[in-house]
Amino acid sequence: MRGRLFVLSGPSGSGKSTIISRILDTVKIDFSVSATTRPPRPGEIDGLHYKFVTEGEFDLMVQNHLLLEWAEYNDNRYGTPAAPIREANDHGRDVLLDIEIQGARQVKENRPSAVMIFIAPPSMDVLEARLRGRGDTSDRDIAHRLSIAASQLEVASELFDFVVVNDDLDAAVAEVTSLITEAI
């Protein structure tokens, strides 16, 4: 039986990384490691959190059609290497992607059977507080991310099969876990 593809997306600061971390502790599912041109944040490990690549390396991946999807976000590019997804699904393993909306659109077009889940913040004020609480984001960057989040929230219900509001982390984790395990 072919494995399923799950897409988890949401604004920066929505809690999707925390939700994914908790899901990976409890659900048997492969997690796709995205390639990115952005520099690593403190504590991030190449190949575990992201595959950190140069602009030239990313260009080659795009030109050679090696990415399932790719998008530019906040002046950096991100993409999902296609081969590991195909291999896992061909061997009956389910795969979880953490990608931005631009990439989610491409996945929906290319893999219409993918289960699309959007993580939404309870409000823009809460989202701003979360971004400020990180302590690693400038005011300019926060304003830019909030603008992106507003546009993402406008299209979330059209593009995604499910929208999960992360106003209670345990409840959001339980809801996403249920969506994945019931679809498997």
Side-chain angles (χ1 to χ4, degrees):
M1 184 159 110
R2 185 164 171 80
R4 305 262 336 249
L5 182 60
F6 296 88
V7 172
L8 202 65
S9 190
S12 178
S14 64
K16 66 184 181 302
S17 296
T18 303
I19 290 169
I20 288 170
S21 177
R22 303 244 318 253
I23 287 170
L24 293 175
D25 287 342
T26 59
V27 176
K28 185 175 175 161
I29 191 167
D30 290 4
F31 181 66
S32 172
V33 176
S34 296
T36 183
T37 58
R38 80 158 169 77
R41 292 180 182 143
E44 288 183 329
I45 299 168
D46 185 41
L48 178 64
H49 298 100
Y50 286 96
K51 178 173 176 38
F52 295 99
V53 298
T54 65
E55 292 286 342
E57 290 170 322
F58 200 95
D59 288 341
L60 286 173
M61 294 170 85
V62 171
Q63 291 167 10
N64 292 314
H65 307 285
L66 300 177
L67 300 172
L68 174 65
E69 60 78 29
W70 70 275
E72 186 167 328
Y73 178 79
N74 211 23
D75 298 325
N76 295 294
R77 291 186 293 167
Y78 297 81
T80 301
I85 306 296
R86 187 173 42 255
E87 181 181 322
N89 285 164
D90 287 349
H91 287 92
R93 296 192 320 269
D94 299 308
V95 179
L96 177 63
L97 304 184
D98 172 5
I99 58 177
E100 300 302 326
I101 281 197
Q102 294 171 44
R105 273 194 180 93
Q106 294 171 46
V107 170
K108 188 168 186 165
E109 289 173 16
N110 296 325
R111 295 279 304 268
S113 63
V115 178
M116 312 287 288
I117 305 168
F118 186 83
I119 305 300
S123 70
M124 292 301 283
D125 289 340
V126 169
L127 184 62
E128 181 175 358
R130 288 177 183 171
L131 291 171
R132 291 193 183 285
R134 287 181 171 177
D136 65 352
T137 311
S138 69
D139 285 345
R140 179 180 169 271
D141 197 32
I142 288 171
H144 184 66
R145 288 178 188 221
L146 290 172
S147 173
I148 292 169
S151 65
Q152 290 174 335
L153 289 165
E154 286 179 16
V155 299
S157 63
E158 299 165 17
L159 179 61
F160 291 87
D161 301 313
F162 305 97
V163 175
V164 176
V165 177
N166 182 14
D167 56 355
D168 175 282
L169 181 60
D170 291 334
V173 169
E175 186 174 351
V176 174
T177 299
S178 177
L179 291 170
I180 291 171
T181 58
E182 288 176 13
I184 292 178

